[in-house]
Amino acid sequence: MNIVQRNFFRLIRCGAFGRKDDVEPMSVSKWNKLYQLSLMHDVTEPVYQGLLQCRDQFFLHLSDKQWQQWEKTSEEKPHQRQETEEDDFLRADHLTNPLLNMKLQSILDDESSDVSTRQMLLVIIGIARHILNEGVPIKQLTELGKYLQTEGHRVDFFTLKKWLKNLGMSQISQLEGTLLIQMFGFTDDEVPFMEGKPDKRAEQVAQELTEFTNTRAQDFYFTQTNDSVFVHTSNGSAMLGHIRRSARNFHYMPSETLTNFFASFAHSLSHIEE
């Protein structure tokens, strides 16, 4: 992890979770890269709050222009409507594997279960869907960390772990917990849905941060021009990246990973112009 990414996570830890951390010295150009990284992952708010918290640190040197840029972004962001809605394919209340999805719907339809526990399950599933399709979702991981801090005391973690096991999600939820520990400074006790030791392969998965360019699964959607009968992909390298990601993450959720790849392929066909 390079210095820009290290400071990026330090600022999220400070701004989102109230932790104290010291930033490393960086050049003006690297601070610009951190700003772009924050925009790319849609986490400008917690990063800006982290900057304000660390403003008096000796090594935090932003130009007046950069501070004005951050202030402008922080003022505009809350008032902006989300331009693009979440892809329906990434819904947290749906799994592509029919058997697992049947189990999930049974859990969600059980009104006798705890609402906070079901909500935590949906947050974990949402992150898993992003990992399988787009890479490590920093924004969603940040939201999971916040939910643990604010609502964790309401969650029935014994039931949650039982649900995760039934859905074949024990390994991928372990990965998510490990990412919270490695990236955001959580302790094992602060992530009660984890079983045993942190996942050793989390660092490899976290390297996807360098690959993530805010390109959605739509990048390899199939299209067809008006003057051609041939169907082609909009981004061949994105499709190859999706194949590599599916292979790399197969260990974490085998049944869902396999059906998810073919489901995403079929979903992409829906973008062919009729």
Side-chain angles (χ1 to χ4, degrees), residues 17 24 33-34 46 54-56 65 81-82 107 119 124 169 172 175-176 180-181 199 216 240 252:
F17 307 116
E24 297 180 63
K33 289 181 180 179
L34 191 146
C54 301
R55 189 165 193 163
D56 295 330
K65 182 179 179 180
R81 297 185 63 179
Q82 191 171 358
I107 292 171
Q119 183 59 40
I124 292 174
M169 296 187 62
I172 201 161
L175 170 65
E176 294 179 24
L180 285 177
I181 292 171
D199 194 305
R216 305 290 304 278
L240 290 175
Y252 295 105

Side-chain angles (χ1 to χ4, degrees), residues 1-66:
M1 191 176 294
N2 61 44
I3 187 172
V4 175
Q5 294 170 1
R6 291 198 299 272
N7 277 339
F8 174 68
F9 287 116
R10 286 189 179 102
L11 292 171
I12 293 179
R13 289 197 289 268
C14 294
F17 307 116
R19 305 184 188 277
K20 294 183 179 180
D21 212 334
D22 296 328
V23 299
E24 297 180 63
M26 294 199 307
S27 64
V28 171
S29 63
K30 282 187 169 62
W31 281 112
N32 283 334
K33 289 181 180 179
L34 191 146
Y35 174 75
Q36 294 300 323
L37 190 62
S38 303
L39 289 176
M40 182 169 59
H41 288 280
D42 196 19
V43 288
T44 53
E45 182 181 353
V47 172
Y48 179 58
Q49 292 303 315
L51 284 169
L52 293 177
Q53 185 172 321
C54 301
R55 189 165 193 163
D56 295 330
Q57 289 189 18
F58 181 76
F59 289 120
L60 202 162
H61 295 298
L62 270 67
S63 66
D64 292 340
K65 182 179 179 180
Q66 287 175 318

Side-chain angles (χ1 to χ4, degrees), residues 176-244:
E176 294 179 24
T178 304
L179 291 172
L180 285 177
I181 292 171
Q182 292 189 354
M183 292 179 174
F184 300 140
F186 278 67
T187 64
D188 293 2
D189 293 338
E190 292 176 308
V191 192
F193 61 79
M194 286 184 60
E195 295 273 12
K197 298 180 180 179
D199 194 305
K200 295 180 180 179
R201 283 169 287 194
E203 184 175 349
Q204 178 183 351
V205 177
Q207 288 302 314
E208 285 196 348
L209 175 66
T210 61
E211 303 172 11
F212 187 92
T213 57
N214 208 29
T215 54
R216 305 290 304 278
Q218 289 92 323
D219 284 350
F220 67 89
Y221 280 166
F222 293 87
T223 57
Q224 184 177 33
T225 57
N226 294 329
D227 58 350
S228 174
V229 297
F230 296 103
V231 176
H232 59 87
T233 60
S234 56
N235 189 335
S237 61
M239 186 174 185
L240 290 175
H242 191 69
I243 294 172
R244 287 194 297 268

Side-chain angles (χ1 to χ4, degrees), residues 46-246:
V47 172
Y48 179 58
Q49 292 303 315
L51 284 169
L52 293 177
Q53 185 172 321
C54 301
R55 189 165 193 163
D56 295 330
Q57 289 189 18
F58 181 76
F59 289 120
L60 202 162
H61 295 298
L62 270 67
S63 66
D64 292 340
K65 182 179 179 180
Q66 287 175 318
W67 277 115
Q68 292 170 5
Q69 184 180 47
W70 274 106
E71 290 169 2
K72 182 180 178 181
T73 301
S74 66
E75 291 171 357
E76 293 177 349
K77 195 68 177 177
H79 303 291
Q80 290 178 345
R81 297 185 63 179
Q82 191 171 358
E83 295 180 3
T84 58
E85 295 182 359
E86 181 76 61
D87 189 344
D88 186 63
F89 180 71
L90 294 176
R91 283 167 39 204
D93 61 346
H94 176 78
L95 293 172
T96 59
N97 182 287
L99 179 59
L100 296 180
N101 188 56
M102 188 181 302
K103 293 181 179 180
L104 173 61
Q105 299 312 313
S106 178
I107 292 171
L108 298 179
D109 291 340
D110 182 7
E111 296 182 359
S112 64
S113 62
D114 178 69
V115 175
S116 296
T117 307
R118 276 182 280 162
Q119 183 59 40
M120 176 69 79
L121 176 67
L122 288 175
V123 175
I124 292 174
I125 292 176
I127 294 173
R129 302 280 286 129
H130 275 269
I131 290 175
L132 294 181
N133 291 283
E134 299 186 340
V136 180
I138 305 303
K139 179 182 179 181
Q140 287 77 10
L141 278 170
T142 303
E143 291 171 351
L144 173 59
K146 287 183 176 180
Y147 194 84
L148 279 169
Q149 283 190 333
T150 59
E151 300 294 328
H153 63 286
R154 302 178 184 273
V155 175
D156 181 352
F157 286 101
F158 177 80
T159 299
L160 178 63
K161 287 189 281 189
K162 183 176 69 175
W163 288 346
L164 291 171
K165 183 177 181 180
N166 290 338
L167 294 172
M169 296 187 62
S170 296
Q171 291 293 331
I172 201 161
S173 62
Q174 189 80 356
L175 170 65
E176 294 179 24
T178 304
L179 291 172
L180 285 177
I181 292 171
Q182 292 189 354
M183 292 179 174
F184 300 140
F186 278 67
T187 64
D188 293 2
D189 293 338
E190 292 176 308
V191 192
F193 61 79
M194 286 184 60
E195 295 273 12
K197 298 180 180 179
D199 194 305
K200 295 180 180 179
R201 283 169 287 194
E203 184 175 349
Q204 178 183 351
V205 177
Q207 288 302 314
E208 285 196 348
L209 175 66
T210 61
E211 303 172 11
F212 187 92
T213 57
N214 208 29
T215 54
R216 305 290 304 278
Q218 289 92 323
D219 284 350
F220 67 89
Y221 280 166
F222 293 87
T223 57
Q224 184 177 33
T225 57
N226 294 329
D227 58 350
S228 174
V229 297
F230 296 103
V231 176
H232 59 87
T233 60
S234 56
N235 189 335
S237 61
M239 186 174 185
L240 290 175
H242 191 69
I243 294 172
R244 287 194 297 268
R245 187 179 303 115
S246 296

